[in-house]
Amino acid sequence: MSSVDCVNTILIGLPDRWPIPIPVSLVLSTLLAAVINFWVSFDMILDTFVNAELLSVDSSCQTTTFDYIIVGAGGAGMVVATRIANASSFASILLLEAGGEPSVLNDIPAFDAYLENQPANTWLYNSTEQTNACQNCDGKKVLTTRGKMLGGSTSTNFMMYVRGNKEDYNRWSTEDLGGDPQWNYENLLPYFKKSEDYNGAWASPKPRMPRPIMCFPRLMSQLKTLARAHTALFKDTGKPSNLCIKKYALVFKINFETVSEKPKAFSVTYQRQGLTQTVTATKEIILSAGTFGSAKLLMLSGVGPAHHLSSLDIPIVKDLPVGSQLQDHVTTIVGPFLKSQGVNPNRDLTVQAATEFLKSGTGLLAAPGTLTGQGFIKSPVAQPDYADIQMVHASASLYPKLPKDLNKMFGPRVDILESWFDPYHKQNVDARFGLLILGRPKSVGKLRLANRNPDDNPIMDLQYLRHPDDVEALLFGFKKFVDLYENTAALNTTLFPKPVPGCESFAFKSDDYYRCVIRSFSFSIYHHVGSCALGKVVDNQLK
């Protein structure tokens, strides 16, 4: 009898919903943090033996000069490094990553929400205090995070694959790049398709469907190799022999030399395993450390706004508007709607759910962040005239620890959420939420260095909702979300009757009330862009 047969035999003898005998939500965050901390410590120790900085067993790493040096092994860096290595078998490539190997927990989509803000393998950031948004957040600041591991943020993301609107690409190629056709949608489409691999395994749903909300996660589990760049390009296919990957390597300086009276990057300096090393690139240094990391490293190296660098006594290599076009898909909560059935970890994380995921990759644990579907609409203030609002449905119930979990994920104050949800979350009431995402914000923030210390986070002034059209676009989407739940036969449930704390002075469900909610609960969905803007900081060739 196979192991799977043994498990099935045991399950037949158990009740249909045999719960894990403790309130899961009370210990889940602590348990996951402990596992992540242990994993990172173990991986760091293993890394010192397998790929020691002074004497590596990997022959591709036994040099200090490479053809290509790539900083950052996230969704971009992992792709670039792997494709260059496979396309140029005689080229030597060094990939430097500040984090390490993703843990096994990063392969479980339902844990995404809990893995976003683990200090051991993510970068944690807070913005400056916001005046137009985040009024119900800790310190009125935006909490955000980036993945610090192979795969970067793709190792913790919610696996919702969206190419973007084709008109955006066409507009960028025309307006920002002076009519460069290589960046229009038609020319980029083959590269999108090259990254996709869906084999149609779930073309017909299996007979056993434990909840209607599981239809969407079935597709999402099949898109794992698309959404997790580390899995798709390295773990499943094998590391190319000419690619050296150095984990736990923090790059803090790009070094320049003058060639034909112009600055040229020729080496990088990094810290790893207690040592400071400098490695040289004979062809290119490719910077893919993310929206925050790339801009921070450029400015530390002397590339950025001259007045800002001068104020920190950083020698200026090139005066460029690094960090000056920072934008994000600001997000707000719609709901809750007291609608059965939502996911409650205390009730739904059962032995059967765990076993189903281990056997077939389906069920509750295959659902990323309880997300169940999405759609796009156009607000009246959309410029240009196409969809600018994303609506995401989340089947998340109210449970006692939800205020703390939402605080950890997005930053809303625990005391405000406790007051707002009381007593429903204490009674484990089923619910649904909406996440309303602004697709094309008009507000622009900026990123600056706090000081010259590479260990310190940069200063992020995000300026959420500073432009009034951003609030009006979200207001339109908010009302559409409420209308969808209250006036359709399929959903047929009213908005949560308790007003959001801080918005009680406005008539409930009025436009001004909704505007207050939007400014109170506004947070990041981790889609920051623009700090190294195409056409402003880098040219059409990304140089």
Side-chain angles (χ1 to χ4, degrees):
M1 180 181 291
S2 69
S3 58
V4 172
D5 292 334
C6 290
V7 170
N8 285 333
T9 301
I10 294 172
L11 290 178
I12 290 173
L14 296 176
D16 287 340
R17 296 189 57 79
W18 189 42
I20 295 175
I22 54 175
V24 174
S25 68
L26 294 178
V27 298
L28 189 58
S29 295
T30 302
L31 178 62
L32 293 180
V35 172
I36 292 293
N37 287 329
F38 171 80
W39 171 259
V40 171
S41 298
F42 171 77
D43 188 48
M44 291 180 72
I45 295 172
L46 183 64
D47 187 54
T48 61
F49 290 100
V50 175
N51 197 4
E53 187 59 35
L54 294 179
L55 185 62
S56 173
V57 298
D58 186 345
S59 60
S60 65
C61 293
Q62 294 173 354
T63 180
T64 58
T65 301
F66 297 83
D67 293 314
Y68 299 91
I69 296 175
I70 300 169
V71 181
M78 186 63 73
V79 173
V80 170
T82 307
R83 288 187 176 170
I84 291 178
N86 287 326
S88 308
S89 59
F90 295 105
S92 58
I93 298 97
L94 171 64
L95 179 59
L96 297 168
E97 166 56 41
E101 197 82 21
S103 74
V104 65
L105 297 178
N106 293 99
D107 287 332
I108 305 176
F111 289 166
D112 285 348
Y114 296 97
L115 298 176
E116 289 287 342
N117 294 307
Q118 295 291 345
N121 62 1
T122 56
W123 303 99
L124 294 176
Y125 302 96
N126 277 296
S127 76
T128 58
E129 182 176 330
Q130 301 294 289
T131 57
N132 300 294
C134 312
Q135 299 303 290
N136 278 357
C137 296
D138 285 335
K140 299 183 180 179
K141 298 178 180 180
V142 180
L143 168 70
T144 195
T145 180
R146 297 283 83 196
K148 185 170 62 174
M149 66 193 89
L150 297 178
S153 297
T154 72
S155 293
T156 61
N157 69 7
F158 289 82
M159 299 173 64
M160 296 183 69
Y161 177 61
V162 180
R163 289 178 184 165
N165 194 305
K166 67 178 183 179
E167 296 304 329
D168 279 327
Y169 297 96
N170 295 335
R171 178 168 53 86
W172 295 329
S173 68
T174 301
E175 297 177 6
D176 295 339
L177 299 173
D180 186 346
Q182 70 172 330
W183 290 100
N184 66 30
Y185 187 76
E186 181 181 355
N187 288 326
L188 292 176
L189 184 58
Y191 295 97
F192 288 128
K193 292 183 176 180
K194 184 176 181 179
S195 297
E196 298 170 10
D197 181 17
Y198 175 62
N199 59 24
W202 301 119
S204 299
K206 289 185 176 181
R208 184 168 179 262
M209 291 288 288
R211 303 176 101 80
I213 62 168
M214 290 299 112
C215 294
F216 185 69
R218 288 179 178 275
L219 174 59
M220 299 315 297
S221 67
Q222 289 302 300
L223 288 173
K224 177 189 291 185
T225 57
L226 172 65
R228 309 294 204 196
H230 169 249
T231 300
L233 294 165
F234 174 51
K235 185 186 290 185
D236 289 350
T237 59
K239 181 175 77 69
S241 60
N242 58 334
L243 171 61
C244 169
I245 298 178
K246 290 194 174 184
K247 300 182 293 185
Y248 304 105
L250 179 63
V251 179
F252 61 88
K253 183 75 179 298
I254 303 170
N255 305 302
F256 294 86
E257 60 184 355
T258 301
V259 178
S260 301
E261 300 183 351
K262 293 182 179 180
K264 179 182 179 181
F266 73 95
S267 69
V268 302
T269 303
Y270 66 92
Q271 293 174 337
R272 182 172 181 262
Q273 298 175 357
L275 300 172
T276 299
Q277 302 279 59
T278 296
V279 286
T280 302
T282 61
K283 293 186 178 179
E284 289 186 4
I285 294 172
I286 300 170
L287 187 55
S288 37
T291 298
F292 304 144
S294 291
K296 174 183 171 182
L297 181 54
L298 281 174
M299 289 189 283
L300 285 171
S301 305
V303 179
H307 66 282
H308 174 56
L309 301 183
S310 297
S311 71
L312 298 174
D313 293 326
I314 296 176
I316 299 170
V317 174
K318 184 72 172 179
D319 181 11
L320 287 173
V322 175
S324 298
Q325 196 69 25
L326 188 62
Q327 290 184 291
D328 187 17
H329 286 159
V330 61
T331 302
T332 193
I333 294 177
V334 185
F337 300 92
L338 304 185
K339 176 74 175 177
S340 296
Q341 286 186 1
V343 175
N344 185 325
N346 293 335
R347 176 192 65 204
D348 299 323
L349 187 53
T350 63
V351 172
Q352 282 83 356
T355 304
E356 179 179 0
F357 180 78
L358 292 173
K359 289 196 307 179
S360 61
T362 61
L364 175 69
L365 293 181
T370 72
L371 304 182
T372 58
Q374 64 176 325
F376 296 85
I377 61 173
K378 179 177 71 71
S379 78
V381 296
Q383 294 174 350
D385 190 26
Y386 52 88
D388 61 338
I389 294 292
Q390 183 178 6
M391 303 169 68
V392 179
H393 296 262
S395 184
S397 290
L398 301 175
Y399 57 92
K401 200 169 178 292
L402 180 62
K404 291 183 179 179
D405 286 345
L406 286 176
N407 172 264
K408 184 175 177 61
M409 283 185 275
F410 301 120
R413 283 170 46 184
V414 173
D415 60 327
I416 289 177
L417 293 174
E418 291 274 8
S419 173
W420 186 31
F421 293 151
D422 186 61
Y424 298 89
H425 68 301
K426 297 174 183 177
Q427 300 168 353
N428 290 285
V429 174
D430 278 304
R432 309 276 179 93
F433 283 87
L435 292 177
L436 190 62
I437 303 170
L438 181 62
R440 291 201 309 279
K442 297 178 183 178
S443 303
V444 178
K446 64 181 179 181
L447 184 80
R448 294 290 183 260
L449 295 177
N451 50 52
R452 297 170 59 178
N453 186 346
D455 293 325
D456 289 347
N457 282 344
I459 298 172
M460 297 186 303
D461 185 7
L462 296 174
Q463 292 291 334
Y464 275 1
L465 305 182
R466 182 178 182 180
H467 196 292
D469 281 358
D470 290 350
V471 178
E472 296 310 298
L474 288 172
L475 171 63
F476 178 81
F478 204 111
K479 293 163 71 173
K480 286 292 184 182
F481 236 135
V482 173
D483 181 63
L484 183 66
Y485 270 89
E486 293 190 339
N487 298 310
T488 60
L491 295 172
N492 189 31
T493 185
T494 58
L495 180 65
F496 191 59
K498 293 186 64 177
V500 167
C503 300
E504 300 94 339
S505 62
F506 300 101
F508 188 62
K509 298 175 70 173
S510 67
D511 284 3
D512 283 340
Y513 171 77
Y514 289 149
R515 291 187 184 100
C516 178
V517 175
I518 290 166
R519 293 193 185 277
S520 297
F521 290 130
S522 29
F523 45 83
S524 175
I525 204 71
Y526 316 123
H527 294 174
H528 307 87
V529 297
S531 64
C532 302
L534 186 64
K536 296 180 176 65
V537 173
V538 297
D539 63 17
N540 296 20
Q541 303 299 316
L542 303 182
K543 293 182 179 179

